[in-house]
Amino acid sequence: MWNQFLQPFDQMFEYIQPICNYLKLPLLPGHIHEVFGALLFYQILYMYIGPRISTYLAPKTYPIFQGRSKLDWNIHIVSMTQATFISFLSQYVVLFDYERKRMTAQERAYGYTELSTTALAIANGYFIWHFIMMTKHVNAYGWGMVAHACATNFLMIQGFRPAFLTYGVASYLYEWSNIPLNIHRALGKLKMEKSKLYVFNGVTLFIVFFFCRIWWGTYLTWWFYKDIWNAYISPPPKGVEKLPTWLLFGHAIATTTLQSLNFVWFFLIARILLSRVVYKKEKRWTSAKGE
C-alpha cells in the first residue's frame, strides 16, 4: 500500500533528476517533495483555511474587509504561520546541529547537513509562494518587495547546489521579527491602535527587528562576505567543482539587497513607532490602495 502511494513520487523524481543535474542542484530531487508540500500548504492556507479561521476569530471585522485590506490580511495569515514555524525550526538547527557548527569556511561554502537541507526546502516552498504573490500584486506592495523576493529565492535555491546552504538557515532567524510585525498589522486592522497591547507589541517589534535583522543580519552578512571571498580565492574541496564567479557575485548582490532593505525597514519602523507612541500621530505601515 505504502509503495503504491510513493510510486507517483518516484516517477516524478525520475523526471526531475536530469533537470536538477543540468541546473547543478543535486540536492533538490531528494527534497522536492518538501518544497512542493510547503508551497501547496501555504496556498491552501491562503485560499481556504486562513479565511475561515479569520471569520471565526474576527466575525465582525474580517467579513467587511475588501480589496487591499482583505488581501493584506490573508497574506499575513500565511506570513505569520510561516514565520512562527520556520523561526523555531531554524533556531533549533542553529543551536543543535553540531555538524553545522563545526564547519570550516570551505565547508560553509560547499557543505551541507541533512537537517539544514530540510529546513531550506520547507522555507523555500514559502519563499516561492511569496515571490508569486508579490509579483502578482506588485501594484499593492511595490517593486521593493519583488526585489526582496527575487534576492531571497536566488540565495535559497542555490543552497541545493549546495552553495552556502548553512547561511540560508541562519538567515531564517530574521523571521522572528515577522511575528510581532504581523501581530502589529492585525491589531491595526482591528482598530486597536490605542490599546496597551498595540503599544507593547510595537516596542517588541522594534527590539526584535533590531536584534534579528540589524545586529544579527549585519554580523551574518559580514561573515558571508568573508566566506564568499574565501571561496573566490581558494580552490574547492577535492572532487568538487569550484563555485563560479557569477554565483559568488550574485550572492554578494542578493545579500547586499536584503540587508539594505532591512535597514530601510528598520528606519520606517522607528519613524512610525515614534510617530504613534511618542507623538501620538497616525502613520500607516503601507499605502492604503483598495482599502
Side-chain angles (χ1 to χ4, degrees):
M1 176 69 73
W2 182 247
N3 290 334
Q4 292 178 346
F5 175 76
L6 292 177
Q7 187 175 0
F9 293 95
D10 292 336
Q11 294 174 348
M12 180 180 68
F13 295 155
E14 291 179 6
Y15 289 110
I16 290 175
Q17 185 74 60
I19 299 174
C20 292
N21 290 340
Y22 176 77
L23 296 174
K24 297 184 178 181
L25 303 173
L27 296 181
L28 183 55
H31 295 271
I32 193 71
H33 60 289
E34 295 163 344
V35 176
F36 285 149
L39 176 61
L40 179 61
F41 169 75
Y42 287 125
Q43 182 62 16
I44 292 174
L45 178 63
Y46 170 75
M47 293 184 64
Y48 303 108
I49 302 176
R52 285 164 174 76
I53 293 176
S54 300
T55 301
Y56 176 77
L57 294 178
K60 295 181 179 180
T61 306
Y62 178 76
I64 65 174
F65 285 160
Q66 299 292 330
R68 169 66 186 273
S69 291
K70 194 166 189 176
L71 171 68
D72 206 47
W73 181 280
N74 291 339
I75 284 180
H76 284 94
I77 288 289
V78 179
S79 175
M80 182 67 172
T81 304
Q82 125 80 16
T84 304
F85 177 75
I86 205 63
S87 293
F88 280 103
L89 178 59
S90 59
Q91 192 73 70
Y92 178 85
V93 174
V94 170
L95 292 177
F96 300 110
D97 189 348
Y98 297 107
E99 184 182 358
R100 175 187 172 278
K101 284 184 176 182
R102 292 191 293 265
M103 285 182 167
T104 63
Q106 192 178 59
E107 289 169 336
R108 288 194 296 270
Y110 292 92
Y112 71 98
T113 69
E114 192 63 27
L115 189 57
S116 294
T117 311
T118 297
L120 174 74
I122 294 173
N124 219 52
Y126 169 78
F127 288 123
I128 292 172
W129 181 88
H130 174 69
F131 169 76
I132 294 171
M133 296 302 294
M134 292 303 101
T135 304
K136 181 179 179 181
H137 301 289
V138 64
N139 291 335
Y141 292 99
W143 288 104
M145 290 303 298
V146 175
H148 174 269
C150 288
T152 302
N153 276 281
F154 174 82
L155 290 172
M156 298 311 154
I157 197 67
Q158 293 300 325
F160 294 106
R161 196 177 186 100
F164 304 102
L165 187 152
T166 59
Y167 277 99
V169 177
S171 70
Y172 297 157
L173 296 181
Y174 294 177
E175 294 295 309
W176 283 116
S177 64
N178 282 343
I179 297 175
L181 175 60
N182 285 310
I183 294 174
H184 209 75
R185 289 179 180 275
L187 293 174
K189 295 291 185 182
L190 296 174
K191 309 300 181 183
M192 297 178 64
E193 290 93 340
K194 297 181 180 180
S195 67
K196 292 182 179 180
L197 176 60
Y198 185 85
V199 175
F200 174 78
N201 187 77
V203 175
T204 301
L205 169 61
F206 179 82
I207 295 172
V208 173
F209 197 100
F210 173 79
F211 281 105
C212 288
R213 292 183 181 254
I214 303 303
W215 180 77
W216 172 252
T218 302
Y219 171 81
L220 195 65
T221 300
W222 168 250
W223 279 100
F224 194 24
Y225 285 151
K226 291 179 66 176
D227 284 350
I228 289 174
W229 177 250
N230 183 73
Y232 177 71
I233 64 175
S234 303
K238 187 177 180 180
V240 177
E241 182 181 353
K242 184 177 177 62
L243 294 176
T245 301
W246 68 263
L247 179 62
L248 300 176
F249 188 66
H251 271 72
I253 292 177
T255 302
T256 302
T257 300
L258 291 176
Q259 193 56 19
S260 298
L261 287 170
N262 283 339
F263 276 97
V264 170
W265 292 334
F266 181 71
F267 170 75
L268 293 175
I269 289 172
R271 188 178 69 173
I272 292 170
L273 183 66
L274 285 173
S275 177
R276 288 183 169 179
V277 176
V278 179
Y279 300 109
K280 307 297 182 181
K281 294 180 180 179
E282 283 295 316
K283 277 189 176 294
R284 295 183 180 273
W285 291 99
T286 55
S287 62
K289 296 177 184 178
E291 291 192 348

